[in-house]
Amino acid sequence: MKRVGILGGTFDPPHIGHLIIAEEVYHQLDLDEVWFLPSNQPPHKSGATVDNQNRLEMVKAAIAGNPHFSVSDIELQREGKSYTYDTIKQLKQLNPDIEFYFIIGGDMVEYLPKWHEIKKLMEMTQFVGVKRSGYQLNSPYPVEEVEMPIIEVSSTMIRKRLGQGREIRYLTADGVIDYIKEHQLYEA
């Protein structure tokens, strides 16, 4: 069976932290691919600041040139909240020959007991917890741990810097920076 990592998020905008996480999990778990899934409406936080199409295009720009990365708009096509259970169920129906590894940050591991349909979800996918400073990967559920270099960058930080007219070079891919400038996103 093919082994595919799933990295979901708002990607508002995508940044080097997302890319490093995907690359490290890809190599450490010997995956065949990593798919980026921009969420429509994440159940655990407010919506994105830019529209779905812009976020999708920024992810495409971020992963351009990496042959084992791709992007799926499966959650953007679905109405309502983007529950992981619904996404994995749909992905497994469409791809019965793929074993999925759902990648989450260390900050999300402790919330797994509160996830929608978590028991069913655990039967459908392997969770991969990415270690982050300040978080323990403690969960009553099996979570495969992946070591990660500490990169303190966030989409919120990038949006704030852009709103202040500050530079974001090296915080995200050049293609994302070009896209943001071309489409005048996140301006003050």
Side-chain angles (χ1 to χ4, degrees):
M1 282 184 74
K2 194 173 180 180
R3 296 161 43 94
V4 174
I6 300 293
L7 183 60
T10 51
F11 303 116
D12 188 23
H15 53 70
I16 61 164
H18 297 126
L19 300 173
I20 291 169
I21 287 169
E23 188 72 10
E24 287 294 316
V25 172
Y26 170 80
H27 286 290
Q28 289 184 42
L29 298 185
D30 195 28
L31 300 178
D32 295 299
E33 298 175 26
V34 175
W35 298 354
F36 287 70
L37 269 70
S39 60
N40 186 25
Q41 295 177 14
H44 61 283
K45 63 181 181 179
S46 59
T49 59
V50 299
D51 65 65
N52 290 349
Q53 189 61 41
N54 279 315
R55 292 185 300 114
L56 180 65
E57 294 304 321
M58 285 189 288
V59 172
K60 288 178 183 177
I63 66 173
N66 189 324
H68 50 264
F69 287 174
S70 62
V71 63
S72 169
D73 66 352
I74 194 169
E75 288 193 350
L76 299 178
Q77 299 301 320
R78 201 170 54 236
E79 295 293 320
K81 293 199 180 290
S82 297
Y83 289 109
T84 302
Y85 171 76
D86 297 330
T87 300
I88 295 296
K89 183 178 176 184
Q90 186 177 6
L91 285 172
K92 288 186 75 65
Q93 288 171 346
L94 295 170
N95 307 280
D97 59 333
I98 294 179
E99 184 177 359
F100 291 105
Y101 294 78
F102 197 82
I103 305 163
I104 59 175
D107 56 330
M108 293 303 296
V109 171
E110 66 186 72
Y111 294 107
L112 282 176
K114 298 177 183 176
W115 281 36
H116 177 68
E117 297 286 3
I118 188 61
K119 289 182 181 175
K120 291 179 185 175
L121 191 54
M122 283 292 165
E123 296 171 5
M124 298 165 51
T125 189
Q126 171 64 55
F127 276 87
V128 178
V130 175
K131 289 194 172 185
R132 291 178 68 173
S133 70
Y135 294 96
Q136 298 295 317
L137 297 184
N138 295 329
S139 174
Y141 299 103
V143 176
E144 189 159 350
E145 295 181 18
V146 172
E147 293 289 334
M148 198 65 46
I150 297 173
I151 304 293
E152 295 294 333
V153 63
S154 70
S155 298
T156 302
M157 176 212 308
I158 291 173
R159 290 192 307 269
K160 184 176 179 180
R161 289 175 70 103
L162 287 166
Q164 296 168 341
R166 295 175 59 202
E167 184 61 53
I168 60 166
R169 181 179 295 147
Y170 307 123
L171 298 177
T172 188
D174 290 343
V176 174
I177 295 170
D178 293 343
Y179 188 90
I180 288 170
K181 287 179 182 176
E182 179 183 339
H183 297 277
Q184 301 173 345
L185 303 177
Y186 310 112
E187 293 182 346

